[in-house]
Amino acid sequence: MTLIDELLAELGDPGLEQIAGMLGTDTATARAVIQAATGTVVAGMARGADHPEGAEALRGALDDHADADPFNGDVASLMRDGQNILAHVLGTQGTEYAAEGLARFSGVDEGALLKVLPLLAPMIMSLLADRAARQDMDTDTMTGELRRERSATSSGLEDLIAPILGDIFGDSSVPARSGVVEPRAGAEQQAARGAQNPDW
């Protein structure tokens, strides 16, 4: 089961309906947004973990989220944590680029997406943290797991995610399901600082 599948299972119908309400859309569109958003965050994690410093920082952050329960947490706290996670994973402006890309394909209001994305990020972190704890992953194992997650992305979902990754990390050659992209000028430094910053 992929992290996308796990997230949808944890949310269940009530959580999906709640997010659909926040997005002002139907549950089918909300599901597609969640899938694309999760795929984008996982791709950002995989890309950051390709750098040794980024991998170490992420593995340490997973330990900090091992006992968290974002599915029943305080919204304000989740938002703060989620904004911090997204800044590390996607870079300083990555959340805005992700919201723009998700809005393009879904027709959902960008402002609503900017509120939902920080709520999803701690959920993704928590699920990955639980998996890391269950499997006693070290940094290298975690990096391999993230690469496998990227490889498991369906071709249809990849077609949605790739342009978003291009917006975040650069317009040139976003390899499908590779977890490695060439960033645009300025974005590489932002994403690298986030991925390698130990203060999650």
Side-chain angles (χ1 to χ4, degrees), residues 110-133:
E110 187 178 325
L113 287 162
L114 285 170
K115 294 178 181 178
V116 167
L117 283 169
L119 295 180
L120 295 176
M123 298 177 187
I124 299 165
M125 280 287 288
S126 176
L127 292 172
L128 183 58
D130 288 345
R131 187 182 295 184

mmCIF file with all atom_site columns, all heavy atoms in Angstrom, residues 110-133:
data_model
loop_
_atom_site.group_PDB
_atom_site.id
_atom_site.type_symbol
_atom_site.label_atom_id
_atom_site.label_alt_id
_atom_site.label_comp_id
_atom_site.label_asym_id
_atom_site.label_entity_id
_atom_site.label_seq_id
_atom_site.pdbx_PDB_ins_code
_atom_site.Cartn_x
_atom_site.Cartn_y
_atom_site.Cartn_z
_atom_site.occupancy
_atom_site.B_iso_or_equiv
_atom_site.pdbx_formal_charge
_atom_site.auth_seq_id
_atom_site.auth_comp_id
_atom_site.auth_asym_id
_atom_site.auth_atom_id
_atom_site.pdbx_PDB_model_num
ATOM 1   N N   . GLU A 1 110 ? -7.353 28.420 -5.344 1.00 0.00 ? 110 GLU A N   1
ATOM 2   C CA  . GLU A 1 110 ? -5.983 28.340 -4.858 1.00 0.00 ? 110 GLU A CA  1
ATOM 3   C C   . GLU A 1 110 ? -5.881 28.670 -3.376 1.00 0.00 ? 110 GLU A C   1
ATOM 4   O O   . GLU A 1 110 ? -5.096 28.056 -2.641 1.00 0.00 ? 110 GLU A O   1
ATOM 5   C CB  . GLU A 1 110 ? -5.107 29.290 -5.668 1.00 0.00 ? 110 GLU A CB  1
ATOM 6   C CG  . GLU A 1 110 ? -3.631 29.182 -5.378 1.00 0.00 ? 110 GLU A CG  1
ATOM 7   C CD  . GLU A 1 110 ? -2.815 30.119 -6.258 1.00 0.00 ? 110 GLU A CD  1
ATOM 8   O OE1 . GLU A 1 110 ? -3.198 30.320 -7.432 1.00 0.00 ? 110 GLU A OE1 1
ATOM 9   O OE2 . GLU A 1 110 ? -1.806 30.648 -5.761 1.00 0.00 ? 110 GLU A OE2 1
ATOM 10  N N   . GLY A 1 111 ? -6.675 29.622 -2.916 1.00 0.00 ? 111 GLY A N   1
ATOM 11  C CA  . GLY A 1 111 ? -6.649 29.982 -1.503 1.00 0.00 ? 111 GLY A CA  1
ATOM 12  C C   . GLY A 1 111 ? -7.065 28.828 -0.611 1.00 0.00 ? 111 GLY A C   1
ATOM 13  O O   . GLY A 1 111 ? -6.492 28.615 0.464  1.00 0.00 ? 111 GLY A O   1
ATOM 14  N N   . ALA A 1 112 ? -8.064 28.064 -1.049 1.00 0.00 ? 112 ALA A N   1
ATOM 15  C CA  . ALA A 1 112 ? -8.495 26.893 -0.282 1.00 0.00 ? 112 ALA A CA  1
ATOM 16  C C   . ALA A 1 112 ? -7.401 25.841 -0.246 1.00 0.00 ? 112 ALA A C   1
ATOM 17  O O   . ALA A 1 112 ? -7.172 25.185 0.785  1.00 0.00 ? 112 ALA A O   1
ATOM 18  C CB  . ALA A 1 112 ? -9.777 26.315 -0.884 1.00 0.00 ? 112 ALA A CB  1
ATOM 19  N N   . LEU A 1 113 ? -6.704 25.673 -1.352 1.00 0.00 ? 113 LEU A N   1
ATOM 20  C CA  . LEU A 1 113 ? -5.617 24.697 -1.407 1.00 0.00 ? 113 LEU A CA  1
ATOM 21  C C   . LEU A 1 113 ? -4.477 25.079 -0.469 1.00 0.00 ? 113 LEU A C   1
ATOM 22  O O   . LEU A 1 113 ? -3.853 24.208 0.146  1.00 0.00 ? 113 LEU A O   1
ATOM 23  C CB  . LEU A 1 113 ? -5.097 24.585 -2.845 1.00 0.00 ? 113 LEU A CB  1
ATOM 24  C CG  . LEU A 1 113 ? -6.032 23.860 -3.818 1.00 0.00 ? 113 LEU A CG  1
ATOM 25  C CD1 . LEU A 1 113 ? -5.655 24.175 -5.258 1.00 0.00 ? 113 LEU A CD1 1
ATOM 26  C CD2 . LEU A 1 113 ? -5.992 22.357 -3.572 1.00 0.00 ? 113 LEU A CD2 1
ATOM 27  N N   . LEU A 1 114 ? -4.221 26.374 -0.337 1.00 0.00 ? 114 LEU A N   1
ATOM 28  C CA  . LEU A 1 114 ? -3.164 26.831 0.562  1.00 0.00 ? 114 LEU A CA  1
ATOM 29  C C   . LEU A 1 114 ? -3.509 26.549 2.029  1.00 0.00 ? 114 LEU A C   1
ATOM 30  O O   . LEU A 1 114 ? -2.613 26.528 2.888  1.00 0.00 ? 114 LEU A O   1
ATOM 31  C CB  . LEU A 1 114 ? -2.907 28.322 0.369  1.00 0.00 ? 114 LEU A CB  1
ATOM 32  C CG  . LEU A 1 114 ? -2.128 28.697 -0.898 1.00 0.00 ? 114 LEU A CG  1
ATOM 33  C CD1 . LEU A 1 114 ? -2.140 30.200 -1.122 1.00 0.00 ? 114 LEU A CD1 1
ATOM 34  C CD2 . LEU A 1 114 ? -0.697 28.174 -0.825 1.00 0.00 ? 114 LEU A CD2 1
ATOM 35  N N   . LYS A 1 115 ? -4.781 26.322 2.316  1.00 0.00 ? 115 LYS A N   1
ATOM 36  C CA  . LYS A 1 115 ? -5.195 25.956 3.676  1.00 0.00 ? 115 LYS A CA  1
ATOM 37  C C   . LYS A 1 115 ? -5.166 24.445 3.880  1.00 0.00 ? 115 LYS A C   1
ATOM 38  O O   . LYS A 1 115 ? -4.899 23.967 4.981  1.00 0.00 ? 115 LYS A O   1
ATOM 39  C CB  . LYS A 1 115 ? -6.602 26.490 3.954  1.00 0.00 ? 115 LYS A CB  1
ATOM 40  C CG  . LYS A 1 115 ? -6.689 28.004 3.994  1.00 0.00 ? 115 LYS A CG  1
ATOM 41  C CD  . LYS A 1 115 ? -8.110 28.471 4.235  1.00 0.00 ? 115 LYS A CD  1
ATOM 42  C CE  . LYS A 1 115 ? -8.199 29.994 4.246  1.00 0.00 ? 115 LYS A CE  1
ATOM 43  N NZ  . LYS A 1 115 ? -9.601 30.468 4.435  1.00 0.00 ? 115 LYS A NZ  1
ATOM 44  N N   . VAL A 1 116 ? -5.452 23.697 2.821  1.00 0.00 ? 116 VAL A N   1
ATOM 45  C CA  . VAL A 1 116 ? -5.520 22.237 2.939  1.00 0.00 ? 116 VAL A CA  1
ATOM 46  C C   . VAL A 1 116 ? -4.134 21.599 2.883  1.00 0.00 ? 116 VAL A C   1
ATOM 47  O O   . VAL A 1 116 ? -3.853 20.640 3.606  1.00 0.00 ? 116 VAL A O   1
ATOM 48  C CB  . VAL A 1 116 ? -6.442 21.652 1.845  1.00 0.00 ? 116 VAL A CB  1
ATOM 49  C CG1 . VAL A 1 116 ? -6.295 20.143 1.746  1.00 0.00 ? 116 VAL A CG1 1
ATOM 50  C CG2 . VAL A 1 116 ? -7.895 22.020 2.139  1.00 0.00 ? 116 VAL A CG2 1
ATOM 51  N N   . LEU A 1 117 ? -3.251 22.114 2.038  1.00 0.00 ? 117 LEU A N   1
ATOM 52  C CA  . LEU A 1 117 ? -1.918 21.513 1.893  1.00 0.00 ? 117 LEU A CA  1
ATOM 53  C C   . LEU A 1 117 ? -1.178 21.389 3.232  1.00 0.00 ? 117 LEU A C   1
ATOM 54  O O   . LEU A 1 117 ? -0.598 20.333 3.519  1.00 0.00 ? 117 LEU A O   1
ATOM 55  C CB  . LEU A 1 117 ? -1.086 22.309 0.890  1.00 0.00 ? 117 LEU A CB  1
ATOM 56  C CG  . LEU A 1 117 ? -1.411 22.065 -0.584 1.00 0.00 ? 117 LEU A CG  1
ATOM 57  C CD1 . LEU A 1 117 ? -0.710 23.107 -1.460 1.00 0.00 ? 117 LEU A CD1 1
ATOM 58  C CD2 . LEU A 1 117 ? -0.986 20.666 -1.002 1.00 0.00 ? 117 LEU A CD2 1
ATOM 59  N N   . PRO A 1 118 ? -1.180 22.443 4.089  1.00 0.00 ? 118 PRO A N   1
ATOM 60  C CA  . PRO A 1 118 ? -0.478 22.301 5.372  1.00 0.00 ? 118 PRO A CA  1
ATOM 61  C C   . PRO A 1 118 ? -1.147 21.309 6.316  1.00 0.00 ? 118 PRO A C   1
ATOM 62  O O   . PRO A 1 118 ? -0.512 20.859 7.278  1.00 0.00 ? 118 PRO A O   1
ATOM 63  C CB  . PRO A 1 118 ? -0.523 23.727 5.957  1.00 0.00 ? 118 PRO A CB  1
ATOM 64  C CG  . PRO A 1 118 ? -0.728 24.613 4.793  1.00 0.00 ? 118 PRO A CG  1
ATOM 65  C CD  . PRO A 1 118 ? -1.606 23.834 3.863  1.00 0.00 ? 118 PRO A CD  1
ATOM 66  N N   . LEU A 1 119 ? -2.402 20.988 6.090  1.00 0.00 ? 119 LEU A N   1
ATOM 67  C CA  . LEU A 1 119 ? -3.066 19.972 6.918  1.00 0.00 ? 119 LEU A CA  1
ATOM 68  C C   . LEU A 1 119 ? -2.677 18.560 6.463  1.00 0.00 ? 119 LEU A C   1
ATOM 69  O O   . LEU A 1 119 ? -2.569 17.647 7.284  1.00 0.00 ? 119 LEU A O   1
ATOM 70  C CB  . LEU A 1 119 ? -4.588 20.132 6.849  1.00 0.00 ? 119 LEU A CB  1
ATOM 71  C CG  . LEU A 1 119 ? -5.166 21.425 7.422  1.00 0.00 ? 119 LEU A CG  1
ATOM 72  C CD1 . LEU A 1 119 ? -6.680 21.435 7.271  1.00 0.00 ? 119 LEU A CD1 1
ATOM 73  C CD2 . LEU A 1 119 ? -4.793 21.578 8.900  1.00 0.00 ? 119 LEU A CD2 1
ATOM 74  N N   . LEU A 1 120 ? -2.475 18.398 5.170  1.00 0.00 ? 120 LEU A N   1
ATOM 75  C CA  . LEU A 1 120 ? -2.108 17.086 4.645  1.00 0.00 ? 120 LEU A CA  1
ATOM 76  C C   . LEU A 1 120 ? -0.662 16.720 4.966  1.00 0.00 ? 120 LEU A C   1
ATOM 77  O O   . LEU A 1 120 ? -0.348 15.546 5.212  1.00 0.00 ? 120 LEU A O   1
ATOM 78  C CB  . LEU A 1 120 ? -2.319 17.045 3.126  1.00 0.00 ? 120 LEU A CB  1
ATOM 79  C CG  . LEU A 1 120 ? -3.754 17.184 2.621  1.00 0.00 ? 120 LEU A CG  1
ATOM 80  C CD1 . LEU A 1 120 ? -3.773 17.219 1.091  1.00 0.00 ? 120 LEU A CD1 1
ATOM 81  C CD2 . LEU A 1 120 ? -4.627 16.039 3.138  1.00 0.00 ? 120 LEU A CD2 1
ATOM 82  N N   . ALA A 1 121 ? 0.231  17.708 4.970  1.00 0.00 ? 121 ALA A N   1
ATOM 83  C CA  . ALA A 1 121 ? 1.657  17.430 5.139  1.00 0.00 ? 121 ALA A CA  1
ATOM 84  C C   . ALA A 1 121 ? 1.978  16.686 6.439  1.00 0.00 ? 121 ALA A C   1
ATOM 85  O O   . ALA A 1 121 ? 2.731  15.698 6.415  1.00 0.00 ? 121 ALA A O   1
ATOM 86  C CB  . ALA A 1 121 ? 2.462  18.729 5.037  1.00 0.00 ? 121 ALA A CB  1
ATOM 87  N N   . PRO A 1 122 ? 1.438  17.088 7.605  1.00 0.00 ? 122 PRO A N   1
ATOM 88  C CA  . PRO A 1 122 ? 1.738  16.322 8.828  1.00 0.00 ? 122 PRO A CA  1
ATOM 89  C C   . PRO A 1 122 ? 1.172  14.907 8.784  1.00 0.00 ? 122 PRO A C   1
ATOM 90  O O   . PRO A 1 122 ? 1.739  13.999 9.396  1.00 0.00 ? 122 PRO A O   1
ATOM 91  C CB  . PRO A 1 122 ? 1.061  17.141 9.935  1.00 0.00 ? 122 PRO A CB  1
ATOM 92  C CG  . PRO A 1 122 ? 0.891  18.499 9.369  1.00 0.00 ? 122 PRO A CG  1
ATOM 93  C CD  . PRO A 1 122 ? 0.654  18.293 7.909  1.00 0.00 ? 122 PRO A CD  1
ATOM 94  N N   . MET A 1 123 ? 0.075  14.717 8.070  1.00 0.00 ? 123 MET A N   1
ATOM 95  C CA  . MET A 1 123 ? -0.493 13.373 7.942  1.00 0.00 ? 123 MET A CA  1
ATOM 96  C C   . MET A 1 123 ? 0.451  12.475 7.152  1.00 0.00 ? 123 MET A C   1
ATOM 97  O O   . MET A 1 123 ? 0.689  11.320 7.517  1.00 0.00 ? 123 MET A O   1
ATOM 98  C CB  . MET A 1 123 ? -1.861 13.448 7.253  1.00 0.00 ? 123 MET A CB  1
ATOM 99  C CG  . MET A 1 123 ? -2.898 14.237 8.014  1.00 0.00 ? 123 MET A CG  1
ATOM 100 S SD  . MET A 1 123 ? -4.467 14.354 7.094  1.00 0.00 ? 123 MET A SD  1
ATOM 101 C CE  . MET A 1 123 ? -5.394 15.488 8.137  1.00 0.00 ? 123 MET A CE  1
ATOM 102 N N   . ILE A 1 124 ? 1.014  13.011 6.078  1.00 0.00 ? 124 ILE A N   1
ATOM 103 C CA  . ILE A 1 124 ? 1.967  12.253 5.273  1.00 0.00 ? 124 ILE A CA  1
ATOM 104 C C   . ILE A 1 124 ? 3.208  11.926 6.096  1.00 0.00 ? 124 ILE A C   1
ATOM 105 O O   . ILE A 1 124 ? 3.704  10.794 6.087  1.00 0.00 ? 124 ILE A O   1
ATOM 106 C CB  . ILE A 1 124 ? 2.344  13.047 4.007  1.00 0.00 ? 124 ILE A CB  1
ATOM 107 C CG1 . ILE A 1 124 ? 1.106  13.295 3.142  1.00 0.00 ? 124 ILE A CG1 1
ATOM 108 C CG2 . ILE A 1 124 ? 3.423  12.320 3.204  1.00 0.00 ? 124 ILE A CG2 1
ATOM 109 C CD1 . ILE A 1 124 ? 1.299  14.358 2.072  1.00 0.00 ? 124 ILE A CD1 1
ATOM 110 N N   . MET A 1 125 ? 3.712  12.924 6.827  1.00 0.00 ? 125 MET A N   1
ATOM 111 C CA  . MET A 1 125 ? 4.883  12.709 7.675  1.00 0.00 ? 125 MET A CA  1
ATOM 112 C C   . MET A 1 125 ? 4.616  11.638 8.717  1.00 0.00 ? 125 MET A C   1
ATOM 113 O O   . MET A 1 125 ? 5.447  10.763 8.972  1.00 0.00 ? 125 MET A O   1
ATOM 114 C CB  . MET A 1 125 ? 5.268  14.018 8.375  1.00 0.00 ? 125 MET A CB  1
ATOM 115 C CG  . MET A 1 125 ? 6.055  14.982 7.536  1.00 0.00 ? 125 MET A CG  1
ATOM 116 S SD  . MET A 1 125 ? 7.782  14.478 7.264  1.00 0.00 ? 125 MET A SD  1
ATOM 117 C CE  . MET A 1 125 ? 8.484  14.772 8.888  1.00 0.00 ? 125 MET A CE  1
ATOM 118 N N   . SER A 1 126 ? 3.441  11.685 9.333  1.00 0.00 ? 126 SER A N   1
ATOM 119 C CA  . SER A 1 126 ? 3.099  10.728 10.382 1.00 0.00 ? 126 SER A CA  1
ATOM 120 C C   . SER A 1 126 ? 3.033  9.310  9.830  1.00 0.00 ? 126 SER A C   1
ATOM 121 O O   . SER A 1 126 ? 3.532  8.361  10.459 1.00 0.00 ? 126 SER A O   1
ATOM 122 C CB  . SER A 1 126 ? 1.752  11.109 11.014 1.00 0.00 ? 126 SER A CB  1
ATOM 123 O OG  . SER A 1 126 ? 1.352  10.153 11.977 1.00 0.00 ? 126 SER A OG  1
ATOM 124 N N   . LEU A 1 127 ? 2.425  9.146  8.658  1.00 0.00 ? 127 LEU A N   1
ATOM 125 C CA  . LEU A 1 127 ? 2.332  7.818  8.051  1.00 0.00 ? 127 LEU A CA  1
ATOM 126 C C   . LEU A 1 127 ? 3.708  7.280  7.695  1.00 0.00 ? 127 LEU A C   1
ATOM 127 O O   . LEU A 1 127 ? 4.000  6.093  7.913  1.00 0.00 ? 127 LEU A O   1
ATOM 128 C CB  . LEU A 1 127 ? 1.447  7.876  6.799  1.00 0.00 ? 127 LEU A CB  1
ATOM 129 C CG  . LEU A 1 127 ? -0.036 8.152  7.047  1.00 0.00 ? 127 LEU A CG  1
ATOM 130 C CD1 . LEU A 1 127 ? -0.758 8.391  5.723  1.00 0.00 ? 127 LEU A CD1 1
ATOM 131 C CD2 . LEU A 1 127 ? -0.682 6.986  7.794  1.00 0.00 ? 127 LEU A CD2 1
ATOM 132 N N   . LEU A 1 128 ? 4.571  8.136  7.144  1.00 0.00 ? 128 LEU A N   1
ATOM 133 C CA  . LEU A 1 128 ? 5.928  7.708  6.826  1.00 0.00 ? 128 LEU A CA  1
ATOM 134 C C   . LEU A 1 128 ? 6.712  7.414  8.100  1.00 0.00 ? 128 LEU A C   1
ATOM 135 O O   . LEU A 1 128 ? 7.490  6.448  8.158  1.00 0.00 ? 128 LEU A O   1
ATOM 136 C CB  . LEU A 1 128 ? 6.642  8.773  5.998  1.00 0.00 ? 128 LEU A CB  1
ATOM 137 C CG  . LEU A 1 128 ? 8.063  8.436  5.523  1.00 0.00 ? 128 LEU A CG  1
ATOM 138 C CD1 . LEU A 1 128 ? 8.077  7.164  4.688  1.00 0.00 ? 128 LEU A CD1 1
ATOM 139 C CD2 . LEU A 1 128 ? 8.658  9.604  4.726  1.00 0.00 ? 128 LEU A CD2 1
ATOM 140 N N   . ALA A 1 129 ? 6.493  8.206  9.150  1.00 0.00 ? 129 ALA A N   1
ATOM 141 C CA  . ALA A 1 129 ? 7.170  7.980  10.430 1.00 0.00 ? 129 ALA A CA  1
ATOM 142 C C   . ALA A 1 129 ? 6.757  6.645  11.031 1.00 0.00 ? 129 ALA A C   1
ATOM 143 O O   . ALA A 1 129 ? 7.594  5.902  11.567 1.00 0.00 ? 129 ALA A O   1
ATOM 144 C CB  . ALA A 1 129 ? 6.855  9.124  11.394 1.00 0.00 ? 129 ALA A CB  1
ATOM 145 N N   . ASP A 1 130 ? 5.466  6.327  10.955 1.00 0.00 ? 130 ASP A N   1
ATOM 146 C CA  . ASP A 1 130 ? 4.987  5.039  11.474 1.00 0.00 ? 130 ASP A CA  1
ATOM 147 C C   . ASP A 1 130 ? 5.627  3.883  10.711 1.00 0.00 ? 130 ASP A C   1
ATOM 148 O O   . ASP A 1 130 ? 6.033  2.880  11.296 1.00 0.00 ? 130 ASP A O   1
ATOM 149 C CB  . ASP A 1 130 ? 3.465  4.949  11.355 1.00 0.00 ? 130 ASP A CB  1
ATOM 150 C CG  . ASP A 1 130 ? 2.739  5.841  12.348 1.00 0.00 ? 130 ASP A CG  1
ATOM 151 O OD1 . ASP A 1 130 ? 3.397  6.316  13.305 1.00 0.00 ? 130 ASP A OD1 1
ATOM 152 O OD2 . ASP A 1 130 ? 1.536  6.066  12.164 1.00 0.00 ? 130 ASP A OD2 1
ATOM 153 N N   . ARG A 1 131 ? 5.719  4.032  9.394  1.00 0.00 ? 131 ARG A N   1
ATOM 154 C CA  . ARG A 1 131 ? 6.328  2.981  8.573  1.00 0.00 ? 131 ARG A CA  1
ATOM 155 C C   . ARG A 1 131 ? 7.807  2.830  8.921  1.00 0.00 ? 131 ARG A C   1
ATOM 156 O O   . ARG A 1 131 ? 8.315  1.706  9.035  1.00 0.00 ? 131 ARG A O   1
ATOM 157 C CB  . ARG A 1 131 ? 6.169  3.314  7.092  1.00 0.00 ? 131 ARG A CB  1
ATOM 158 C CG  . ARG A 1 131 ? 6.625  2.206  6.164  1.00 0.00 ? 131 ARG A CG  1
ATOM 159 C CD  . ARG A 1 131 ? 6.495  2.598  4.712  1.00 0.00 ? 131 ARG A CD  1
ATOM 160 N NE  . ARG A 1 131 ? 5.117  2.803  4.290  1.00 0.00 ? 131 ARG A NE  1
ATOM 161 C CZ  . ARG A 1 131 ? 4.759  3.072  3.035  1.00 0.00 ? 131 ARG A CZ  1
ATOM 162 N NH1 . ARG A 1 131 ? 5.685  3.174  2.082  1.00 0.00 ? 131 ARG A NH1 1
ATOM 163 N NH2 . ARG A 1 131 ? 3.491  3.244  2.721  1.00 0.00 ? 131 ARG A NH2 1
ATOM 164 N N   . ALA A 1 132 ? 8.494  3.961  9.096  1.00 0.00 ? 132 ALA A N   1
ATOM 165 C CA  . ALA A 1 132 ? 9.915  3.920  9.440  1.00 0.00 ? 132 ALA A CA  1
ATOM 166 C C   . ALA A 1 132 ? 10.134 3.244  10.786 1.00 0.00 ? 132 ALA A C   1
ATOM 167 O O   . ALA A 1 132 ? 11.088 2.470  10.959 1.00 0.00 ? 132 ALA A O   1
ATOM 168 C CB  . ALA A 1 132 ? 10.490 5.331  9.453  1.00 0.00 ? 132 ALA A CB  1
ATOM 169 N N   . ALA A 1 133 ? 9.244  3.515  11.746 1.00 0.00 ? 133 ALA A N   1
ATOM 170 C CA  . ALA A 1 133 ? 9.381  2.912  13.073 1.00 0.00 ? 133 ALA A CA  1
ATOM 171 C C   . ALA A 1 133 ? 9.091  1.411  13.027 1.00 0.00 ? 133 ALA A C   1
ATOM 172 O O   . ALA A 1 133 ? 9.821  0.609  13.627 1.00 0.00 ? 133 ALA A O   1
ATOM 173 C CB  . ALA A 1 133 ? 8.436  3.596  14.054 1.00 0.00 ? 133 ALA A CB  1
#
